[in-house]
Amino acid sequence: MPATASIDITRTDGPRAGGRGWAALVVLMLPVLLVSVDNTVLSFALPEISLALAPSGAEQLWIIDVYPLVLAGLLVTMGALGDRFGRRRMLLIGATGFAAVSALAAFAPTAGLLIAARALLGFFGAMLMPSTLSLLRSIFQNRDQRRFAIAVWAAAFSAGSALGPIVGGFLLEHFAWGSVFLLAVPVLIPLLVGAPLLVPESRDPNPGRIDPVSILLSMAAMVPVVFAIKGFAVDGPTVTAVLSALFGTGMGVLFVRRQLRARIPMLDMALFRRGAFSGAILVNLLSVVALVGFLYFVSQHLQLVIGLSPMLAGFALVPGMLMMIVSGLAVVPIARRVAPHILVPCALVFSLIGYLLVAFASQDHGLLPLVVAFVVLGIGIGAAETVSNELILSSAPPEKAGAASAVSETAYELGAVLGTAILGGLITAFYRGALVLPDGVPDAAGAVARETLAGAYAAAHDLPATLGASLWEAAVVAFESGVTVTSLIGALLVVGAGVIAALTLRPRGARR
């Protein structure tokens, strides 16, 4: 078989890192924690932002959407620029810009300026995540140590996601909405001090020239595709969404053709011919789709059906996030002895069980089944993502670690968008189709109730007590029926990820 088809996943080459390397790992976790907290904290501040800045409906959507659009469009570009100009340099530029713009966003006087600040946060955020993961590749050259370092990286990302609702709830109870943005400043200042002292610079020793056309094509491919996915999730297959998807796909084809013809491409497409690389990317993508989709409907259930506050709902998810962290760390010694094509599918069996628990216990409105289901799901996702991320970095040459990390981060971003779009869109569609309005509900209230479960909650509270209770009961029944079907579809996604892992992550000898 060709040498580029796979890698030897059993090697533990490279010298072992000392104390300075582990101190550098602590420093690199700071931006990871910040970006993951930022992914979840803003949704809790949105009601107060709406009251303070009075954005229109379109402006409110752009406050949320502009950040991931810019971030996804620039990840590959920033990863490639880090390979060329230095990954530590890109990390420091990104951290400085992110902290400064966060301070500006905290005091934005209008919705338009807040949207502009969020776009700049996406620009500088795209420098942070690929740099952190690719620097781990250069700091930890010994594979066993690198597995553990990547497990810590993934654990920090999971911890930040769990802390987002809790930190957001605390800040909003005691301070103004801008405090959720000011959180970035004290987190990133230690990074700006510690990184030059502890993190070694690394770059591609033989970089190609800067290719502005490839940069523009990569952005022209990613931004419309992400925009189209969000459009499909909210409004269905509109003309704008379909045209955006077609345009982005066309630009993606042109980008790939240009990379294949370039002597030194911005993104080496040969990486995707390596089974361990492309397979691990797909496993990551499907795992994030499953995780984000699960959180989408479970968070609604916890707050609207069970009646928990946002902070208490965040605490209810903490056991699952903790198990995601524990399983990511615990899988490291196991990965030394068990091949990935066996280990990853076995880990994903836990995630499959988590989805099946939700599917068959969806009519039980208690808290415990959901907490247990998320714990089991977290075990599988945490272990699978640690192994797959390590394979992504090990599959790529060290000088291309930035571009490889950027592809991995792009899979994360697309997975998050697809999780909301696919599973979130499906549960909304099933909810609307299954909702049977009680007799006597006014047309206006019925229209609001059909939009979302939150709309039904608001409409029910505006109606007389008996009629409102009947409407809310019907809405909960419709929502739970959608949860059942959507959970089964999520289970199929997990099965698909396991099959891909079993077929693509085999060691070189096993693939012959």
Side-chain angles (χ1 to χ4, degrees):
M1 62 180 294
T4 58
S6 67
I7 61 165
D8 182 0
I9 61 170
T10 61
R11 294 185 300 122
T12 58
D13 55 339
R16 298 180 68 85
R20 183 176 177 179
W22 297 112
L25 174 63
V26 173
V27 171
L28 291 176
M29 292 307 98
L30 294 174
V32 176
L33 277 169
L34 177 67
V35 172
S36 57
V37 167
D38 191 67
N39 285 340
T40 54
V41 74
L42 184 64
S43 59
F44 290 87
L46 195 59
E48 289 197 25
I49 292 174
S50 299
L51 292 174
L53 303 182
S56 65
E59 286 176 330
Q60 184 167 306
L61 287 175
W62 277 110
I63 289 172
I64 297 293
D65 291 345
V66 71
Y67 176 81
L69 284 174
V70 174
L71 184 72
L74 287 173
L75 279 170
V76 172
T77 296
M78 294 303 184
L81 290 178
D83 287 339
R84 178 182 178 85
F85 294 113
R87 293 143 193 160
R88 187 184 68 180
R89 177 179 297 175
M90 293 296 288
L91 177 66
L92 293 174
I93 293 172
T96 303
F98 201 96
V101 176
S102 294
L104 293 175
F107 301 102
T110 66
L113 289 176
L114 181 57
I115 292 170
R118 289 278 292 166
L120 283 174
L121 287 174
F123 176 83
F124 289 111
M127 301 181 187
L128 294 175
M129 295 303 286
S131 297
T132 59
L133 193 55
S134 57
L135 283 167
L136 293 182
R137 177 69 174 85
S138 60
I139 294 172
F140 297 97
Q141 300 178 38
N142 179 272
R143 189 156 190 183
D144 287 341
Q145 287 188 322
R146 186 164 63 245
R147 281 196 187 102
F148 185 82
I150 291 173
V152 173
W153 181 91
F157 201 89
S158 300
S161 300
L163 287 172
I166 299 169
V167 172
F170 175 82
L171 290 175
L172 293 171
E173 285 183 9
H174 296 87
F175 305 101
W177 62 265
S179 60
V180 301
F181 291 103
L182 289 176
L183 181 66
V185 177
V187 173
L188 289 177
I189 287 177
L191 170 68
L192 295 173
V193 175
L197 299 175
L198 297 170
V199 179
E201 183 61 282
S202 69
R203 57 170 57 88
D204 186 345
N206 185 32
R209 63 182 178 86
I210 297 177
D211 185 1
V213 175
S214 291
I215 292 174
L216 291 175
L217 286 174
S218 68
M219 292 184 64
M222 288 302 305
V223 172
V225 167
V226 174
F227 179 80
I229 293 170
K230 287 181 172 289
F232 281 122
V234 176
D235 301 316
T238 62
V239 173
T240 302
V242 172
L243 290 178
S244 296
L246 292 175
F247 180 79
T249 302
M251 293 298 101
V253 171
L254 293 178
F255 175 80
V256 171
R257 291 181 64 182
R258 186 172 182 85
Q259 303 315 297
L260 292 173
R261 294 173 180 176
R263 186 176 65 86
I264 303 180
M266 186 175 88
L267 178 61
D268 187 1
M269 305 310 295
L271 289 172
F272 294 94
R273 292 198 294 268
R274 302 183 178 193
F277 183 85
S278 57
I281 290 290
L282 288 174
V283 169
N284 261 3
L285 175 67
L286 292 175
S287 296
V288 174
V289 170
L291 175 63
V292 172
F294 187 95
L295 290 173
Y296 178 83
F297 56 76
V298 167
S299 61
Q300 293 186 70
H301 185 105
L302 291 174
Q303 295 183 58
L304 297 175
V305 178
I306 297 179
L308 300 181
S309 67
M311 183 179 291
L312 288 178
F315 275 115
L317 296 175
V318 166
M321 291 294 184
L322 288 177
M323 286 309 302
M324 198 178 300
I325 295 169
V326 170
S327 66
L329 296 173
V331 79
V332 173
I334 301 173
R336 298 172 188 161
R337 300 172 176 83
V338 181
H341 74 286
I342 297 173
L343 181 57
V344 173
C346 289
L348 289 174
V349 168
F350 286 93
S351 299
L352 174 63
I353 294 171
Y355 260 113
L356 293 178
L357 283 174
V358 174
F360 294 110
S362 61
Q363 302 306 316
D364 182 355
H365 298 164
L367 176 62
L368 184 60
L370 292 179
V371 173
V372 172
F374 189 50
V375 166
V376 179
L377 180 105
I379 293 172
I381 297 294
E385 287 190 351
T386 294
V387 176
S388 59
N389 273 314
E390 196 278 329
L391 283 172
I392 290 168
L393 282 187
S394 298
S395 300
E399 64 272 13
K400 298 297 182 183
S405 301
V407 174
S408 175
E409 292 302 322
T410 302
Y412 267 95
E413 291 300 320
L414 281 178
V417 173
L418 288 170
T420 303
I422 295 176
L423 297 184
L426 283 173
I427 196 169
T428 300
F430 282 118
Y431 165 77
R432 291 173 179 172
L435 178 59
V436 178
L437 296 174
D439 294 335
V441 174
D443 292 341
V448 172
R450 284 197 181 279
E451 285 297 314
T452 61
L453 183 64
Y457 183 84
H461 279 71
D462 291 337
L463 295 174
T466 303
L467 185 58
S470 299
L471 173 60
W472 179 239
E473 183 179 355
V476 170
V477 170
F479 182 78
E480 298 296 355
S481 66
V483 168
T484 300
V485 178
T486 306
S487 298
L488 293 175
I489 294 172
L492 291 177
L493 289 176
V494 173
V495 171
V499 171
I500 290 171
L503 295 177
T504 61
L505 304 186
R506 292 175 176 272
R508 180 180 298 171
R511 289 175 60 87
R512 285 198 178 107

